[in-house]
Amino acid sequence: MVRGGRLIDRNNLNIGVFTWRKFAWCGIFLCVCFLVAKPELYKFATWAMLPFVCILFFYDDFYALCGMFLFFEEQLVVISGVSLFALYSFAVLVKFFIFDKHEKKISVLHIPVILVLLLYAAFVMPHADIRAALSKYTLKGQIPPAEWIIILRLIIGYLLDIAFIYFLALRIRDDDSVLLKLFKVILASSILSGIYGYTAQNIFYYAGAESGIIRYMASFNDPNYASFFFNLSIFIALIANKSKKWKIPLLLVFYYFLIASGSLSGIIFNIAGLFLFSVLKYKEKAIVAVFLTAVIAGISTIAIMQVPVLKNLQIIKSLETRIHRQFQDETNLSDATSGREQQWENYWGYYKSQDIHKKLFGGNIVMSYSIEQKFMDEYKNPPHQAYLNFLLNFGIIGTVVVILCYGGKVALLFAQKDGRNRDTVLILIMLSFMWVFYGFGFDYFGDWRFMVFYFL
């Protein structure tokens, strides 16, 4: 019910012991559990979830539902070509502009980066190379639409994603109650996502002379992406969960899934994150905290390698094989970085070869879901680094704007530590630094699941 442009709180309308809000959450996660148990019945799970999502629309919790879509965006499909997430993202914009617009103002800190993103859509994307899009139509035996229609779709999709990302973050970033709900949703969804990797056998496998390596991708299409979200879950569980009865089991589960992803970068970034967390949480006692963490990690590693039952687990064997293969030649940086070092050189060389205008202002299209065909023809793969993406897309000027605005956001979070819920702020700081860490080895520009953390 709406009165005076605001939603009336329905928390007192109960169904038995449940409120409508709690009833909706239970229904949503029962549907996710069904999806995890029966991945092939994804459309049934999606349609069953729709009524509960509609109920949740009338509560602020609706914004926290994005935490579930972080993990299950691609699996929930209403009809062919239309995902539940697409409907949800549109509903978020409707809800924000009808009910919440007057409560939130655009931050002055974000105006420069929003301007960069809009200029990119206006002056770069209209010149997109559509060869890759045309080939998809050809493979399907379909007649492709006109070039301008393909480009227009690309631009509109990009702008809608940016609008969704920004206004979602704008609505929840200062609302500790919604943020805490979001963190709980992330924890629950992360567990179900990890299980989904097994029930759906969503794995990345590559063979070798000695033995094959199996990497579980959870509900994602990349094991490294999965490691990002398991790392987020680890730090949320570490900070927000006060009960040791739940904290230790949750951490064990998330570390299991992190190891199962086989992401060496994820493990390295986790170690860096633990060091940062110790400094932020314990300050002058950080040395003791880091030492104890290192001791516990060392003892755990030795115990795992000495106990046959643990050592022979597939995830341990796969990780051990991966480490051996990548670091058997200490002088080969390309192997140690899974080929990323060569890609960085290739794209950095391309950036330097451009004229001064493109060096300063960018003009390429290198996104997580769209990359110019010339790069794929020449280098076969994306650059695997977000900061190279920024340089190629926005140039040095745009990249400086993006980085400075992000640094300003992090500085503001540090300034808020004593004026807000300390755990909420500490989690946001950790998420912000994890975003920075992963940017050194992964492409995520344009992917809402990563870019939303830029503004949170």
Side-chain angles (χ1 to χ4, degrees):
M1 185 182 300
V2 180
R3 184 176 297 163
R6 293 182 60 83
L7 293 177
I8 294 177
D9 187 2
R10 296 175 180 267
N11 288 350
N12 294 321
L13 299 180
N14 293 334
I15 299 177
V17 296
F18 290 108
T19 64
W20 281 100
R21 177 172 56 86
K22 292 179 180 178
F23 173 71
W25 277 119
C26 289
I28 287 169
F29 275 99
L30 280 174
C31 292
V32 177
C33 288
F34 179 81
L35 171 68
V36 170
K38 295 288 184 180
E40 67 276 10
L41 298 179
Y42 60 94
K43 284 190 178 180
F44 180 84
T46 305
W47 280 96
M49 190 183 294
L50 266 173
F52 302 111
V53 174
C54 291
I55 293 172
L56 207 59
F57 177 85
F58 296 95
Y59 300 90
D60 288 344
D61 287 27
F62 188 69
Y63 295 108
L65 186 57
C66 72
M68 184 270 291
F69 285 109
L70 286 172
F71 296 86
F72 295 99
E73 175 190 355
E74 299 173 358
Q75 290 79 8
L76 296 168
V77 179
V78 181
I79 58 174
S80 182
V82 179
S83 68
L84 182 58
F85 169 73
L87 300 180
Y88 169 76
S89 59
F90 180 74
V92 164
L93 293 175
V94 171
K95 181 176 173 65
F96 179 85
F97 282 103
I98 292 178
F99 304 118
D100 298 323
K101 179 182 177 183
H102 64 284
E103 295 183 353
K104 300 293 178 182
K105 295 181 180 179
I106 293 177
S107 170
V108 174
L109 186 65
H110 291 146
I111 292 177
V113 73
I114 291 174
L115 183 61
V116 168
L117 296 173
L118 293 179
L119 289 173
Y120 182 72
F123 294 102
V124 178
M125 300 189 80
H127 304 288
D129 182 345
I130 64 167
R131 284 183 293 163
L134 290 173
S135 65
K136 291 180 181 178
Y137 286 99
T138 303
L139 289 173
K140 294 178 181 178
Q142 300 174 343
I143 299 175
E147 180 178 337
W148 70 269
I149 293 178
I150 296 176
I151 292 176
L152 185 62
R153 287 175 180 173
L154 179 66
I155 295 173
I156 291 174
Y158 166 80
L159 290 175
L160 286 175
D161 279 351
I162 294 300
F164 165 72
I165 290 166
Y166 184 69
F167 291 114
L168 174 69
L170 183 64
R171 176 59 184 82
I172 67 177
R173 67 183 181 191
D174 297 320
D175 190 331
D176 287 346
S177 63
V178 178
L179 279 172
L180 288 172
K181 176 69 70 174
L182 171 63
F183 297 149
K184 292 178 181 178
V185 173
I186 288 176
L187 290 180
S189 301
S190 184
I191 293 171
L192 292 172
S193 174
I195 298 172
Y196 179 90
Y198 286 88
T199 59
Q201 278 299 289
N202 190 29
I203 62 174
F204 183 85
Y205 176 81
Y206 42 96
E210 299 174 3
S211 61
I213 296 175
I214 297 176
R215 300 177 64 184
Y216 286 89
M217 300 189 291
S219 54
F220 301 92
N221 57 12
D222 187 312
N224 295 312
Y225 277 22
S227 77
F228 175 84
F229 289 98
F230 288 134
N231 265 319
L232 296 191
S233 301
I234 285 170
F235 288 106
I236 291 172
L238 196 61
I239 298 168
N241 200 316
K242 300 299 183 183
S243 171
K244 291 183 180 179
K245 181 177 68 174
W246 290 105
K247 178 178 295 193
I248 294 176
L250 281 174
L251 289 174
L252 289 175
V253 168
F254 293 138
Y255 270 110
Y256 176 88
F257 289 142
L258 177 62
I259 294 171
S261 74
S263 175
L264 299 184
S265 299
I267 293 173
I268 292 170
F269 295 149
N270 179 264
I271 294 171
L274 288 174
F275 176 80
L276 176 65
F277 166 75
S278 299
V279 172
L280 294 175
K281 180 73 174 178
Y282 301 106
K283 298 178 182 177
E284 65 275 1
K285 298 178 181 178
I287 295 177
V288 175
V290 170
F291 175 76
L292 290 176
T293 302
V295 170
I296 293 171
I299 292 174
S300 300
T301 302
I302 293 172
I304 289 172
M305 300 311 294
Q306 293 300 317
V307 178
V309 175
L310 297 176
K311 183 179 180 180
N312 292 325
L313 286 173
Q314 180 61 56
I315 63 168
I316 301 298
K317 290 166 65 177
S318 290
L319 183 63
E320 184 181 12
T321 302
R322 243 196 120 218
I323 294 173
H324 175 71
R325 287 185 189 177
Q326 289 196 231
F327 296 100
Q328 59 184 347
D329 184 353
E330 297 178 359
T331 63
N332 193 331
L333 185 59
S334 182
D335 284 348
T337 59
S338 300
R340 288 184 176 85
E341 186 263 346
Q342 184 59 54
Q343 289 299 94
W344 299 337
E345 285 189 8
N346 291 338
Y347 281 92
W348 176 241
Y350 175 84
Y351 173 78
K352 292 190 296 182
S353 71
Q354 299 179 115
D355 59 45
I356 187 63
H357 181 270
K358 296 200 78 171
K359 285 181 180 177
L360 290 174
F361 301 104
N364 302 286
I365 296 180
V366 184
M367 305 170 72
S368 61
Y369 58 81
S370 180
I371 182 171
E372 290 181 83
Q373 190 63 39
K374 66 182 180 183
F375 293 117
M376 299 304 290
D377 291 341
E378 183 70 22
Y379 307 131
K380 309 303 181 186
N381 288 298
H384 295 312
Q385 190 185 105
Y387 307 111
L388 279 172
N389 287 16
F390 294 150
L391 281 174
L392 292 166
N393 292 329
F394 309 137
I396 187 65
I397 292 177
T399 300
V400 168
V401 170
V402 169
I403 292 174
L404 285 179
C405 288
Y406 190 75
K409 181 206 79 165
V410 175
L412 184 61
L413 285 173
F414 275 99
Q416 293 177 336
K417 280 202 302 181
D418 295 326
R420 290 179 61 183
N421 181 300
R422 290 181 64 86
D423 287 345
T424 302
V425 175
L426 183 55
I427 290 173
L428 290 176
I429 290 173
M430 291 305 305
L431 300 191
S432 297
F433 276 98
M434 291 306 297
W435 190 89
V436 171
F437 292 157
Y438 271 83
F440 287 106
F442 303 103
D443 308 284
Y444 50 58
F445 173 66
D447 190 327
W448 79 271
R449 295 171 300 180
F450 293 85
M451 294 305 295
V452 71
F453 294 108
Y454 179 92
F455 294 107
L456 275 183

